[in-house]
Amino acid sequence: MNKPAETTETDERFADRRERSRRKRGAKPKGWREELSDWLKSLAFAVVVVAVLKLFVFDLTTVHGISMEPTLKTGERLLVNKIGYRLGGPARGDIAVLVDPAPTPGDSKYIVKRVIGVAGDTIEIRGGVLYVNGERLAEPYADVAIAGPDFGPLTVEPGKVFVMGDNRRSGASKDSRSFGTVPAGSLLGKAEFILWPIPRWKKI
């Protein structure tokens, strides 16, 4: 007696599925205004997401000049990690984007330099060699000795950093040797990757 009831219930479920499928196929397509509205909403959402990421997480910057050669070359596009310096301070060896403390008319507002010393470090240059806390600093990124006069010793103040360009030729880099230490808060982020040109793509 139960078998016909089960068959009837199954038939009803299949009929219900067919009806829903028929209604779906017969649904009225969206008009162009609805399509445009959906597209604009998606675009607005994407713009907001990118803006938030750019504001708090990452940024792109372009290298100008020769001060970071041979590590970076003019025209290269860098991916800059901004959130790292919001969570913790800069470290020795970081390549950082910072506000230019001694801007020249016509130049970019920002510069790219390497962090050489953090608060408490003593920086000195003798005979073309860089010393940090009395020890010679290994600098595989530089291709020549430091040109120019000796410097220091100078002890980096609390809340500040000492920065230099990797290009150690005379007059090639405007850095902490001329404008002094800079507030750590003026560092906007750490350059992580060269994104462009493609043959130069790499982590730095």
Side-chain angles (χ1 to χ4, degrees), residues 23-189:
R23 289 177 181 175
K24 187 174 181 181
R25 289 195 302 271
K28 184 180 178 181
K30 291 183 179 180
W32 69 268
R33 288 186 178 85
E34 292 178 278
E35 292 285 355
L36 179 61
S37 176
D38 289 347
W39 186 83
L40 289 176
K41 288 176 183 176
S42 299
L43 179 61
F45 178 76
V47 169
V48 170
V49 170
V50 171
V52 170
L53 291 175
K54 182 175 172 62
L55 182 62
F56 297 106
V57 181
F58 72 86
D59 205 350
L60 298 175
T61 192
T62 303
V63 178
H64 297 286
I66 63 172
S67 73
M68 284 298 293
E69 291 183 357
T71 307
L72 303 174
K73 300 183 184 299
T74 189
E76 290 179 340
R77 300 276 289 175
L78 310 178
L79 177 69
V80 181
N81 174 1
K82 298 172 70 174
I83 198 170
Y85 288 166
R86 295 178 185 273
L87 301 177
R92 290 191 213 104
D94 285 359
I95 295 178
V97 177
L98 61 147
V99 178
D100 189 344
T104 303
D107 285 352
S108 172
K109 180 181 177 182
Y110 306 105
I111 55 177
V112 182
K113 302 294 173 185
R114 186 180 296 274
V115 177
I116 299 298
V118 297
D121 287 342
T122 298
I123 310 298
E124 187 174 7
I125 298 172
R126 298 194 313 267
V129 177
L130 179 61
Y131 295 87
V132 178
N133 299 325
E135 296 185 4
R136 180 172 182 164
L137 184 66
E139 298 190 281
Y141 44 79
D143 56 2
V144 295
I146 301 172
D150 290 352
F151 176 90
L154 176 149
T155 299
V156 182
E157 308 95 313
K160 295 195 173 183
V161 294
F162 188 95
V163 298
M164 289 178 64
D166 287 356
N167 191 337
R168 300 305 168 74
R169 292 172 174 77
S170 180
S173 174
K174 178 182 70 174
D175 50 42
S176 287
R177 289 171 291 176
S178 59
F179 53 62
T181 56
V182 297
S186 68
L187 275 61
L188 305 181

